[in-house]
Amino acid sequence: DAGVTQSPTHLIKTRGQQVTLRCSPKSGHDTVSWYQQALGQGPQFIFQYYEEEERQRGNFPDRFSGHQFPNYSSELNVNALLLGDSALYLCASRPDRVSYEQYFGPGTRLTVT
Amino acid sequence: GDSVTQMEGPVTLSEEAFLTINCTYTATGYPSLFWYVQYPGEGLQLLLKATKADDKGSNKGFEATYRKETTSFHLEKGSVQVSDSAVYFCALIDRNTGNQFYFGTGTSLTVIP
């Protein structure tokens, strides 16, 4: 049983560009959350998707948007990239109404130059 | 709002030493508490959890007890190994919503032979 997978592993972008990160949840999980982990910090909640809708959002600007597909996979989009967006982006999944324990993927390392 | 405060690192210990990493929390609802571990270049792995007051979570020789009276969830291990070198994150989630994890800033542990 594959766990949470994310792609790409690493990404380098230039300021002002746009980026899309992808996540496939663990089998049987229908809820996907995204977190941003800056270097030396704990992960910060960006948003959570369930039934293809954004269910809850953290304190992130509208430049951060997402999508969930019918197969429960998800994308995180960041527009107008800033140097401060450089971080490890983590995806986490869980089965809704069964457990709030979240399983994390390995992350995508985004570097903005 | 909800938050987690962790003991700052880095922590360096000799093999077989006793480990304590302090964690305290602030929560308005009914939190469940977690410890996650992150090895270099990887995502987060659940180490242990406790869902309600006085519960003790344990795994791989690590343990932590949910203390509501002191709002604490300190991580302990009686004899650390070199393979325990990693960054440890304390986290909480509100059982009412189960949507958003709040993480501490992480404590880096290095165990030397």
Side-chain angles (χ1 to χ4, degrees), chain A residues 17 20 23 27 36 47 53 61 66 73 100 104 107 110:
Chain A
Q17 287 188 318
T20 297
C23 170
S27 177
Q36 180 195 65
F47 42 54
E53 298 281 336
S73 66
Y100 44 77
F104 285 84
L110 172 65

Side-chain angles (χ1 to χ4, degrees), chain A residues 38-108:
Chain A
L39 197 63
Q41 299 297 315
Q44 298 290 317
F45 176 75
I46 302 174
F47 42 54
Q48 184 179 86
Y49 275 82
Y50 172 69
E51 292 189 338
E52 302 180 48
E53 298 281 336
E54 183 183 289
R55 178 155 65 181
Q56 186 168 337
R57 188 179 185 92
N59 189 25
F60 278 80
D62 292 344
R63 298 186 298 109
F64 290 77
S65 63
H67 188 76
Q68 186 178 34
F69 299 92
N71 67 352
Y72 308 127
S73 66
S74 177
E75 289 182 349
L76 164 65
N77 300 292
V78 186
N79 293 322
L81 285 167
L82 304 174
L83 294 179
D85 295 332
S86 295
L88 180 67
Y89 288 85
L90 296 166
C91 173
S93 72
R94 70 175 174 92
D96 199 67
R97 297 193 185 91
V98 173
S99 169
Y100 44 77
E101 179 179 329
Q102 299 188 15
Y103 292 78
F104 285 84
T108 294

Side-chain angles (χ1 to χ4, degrees), chain A residues 35 37 48 56 94 100-101, chain B residues 32 38 49 98-99 101:
Chain A
Y35 291 80
Q37 185 181 12
Q48 184 179 86
Q56 186 168 337
R94 70 175 174 92
Y100 44 77
E101 179 179 329
Chain B
S32 289
Q38 186 173 38
K49 64 181 180 182
N99 293 338
F101 270 97

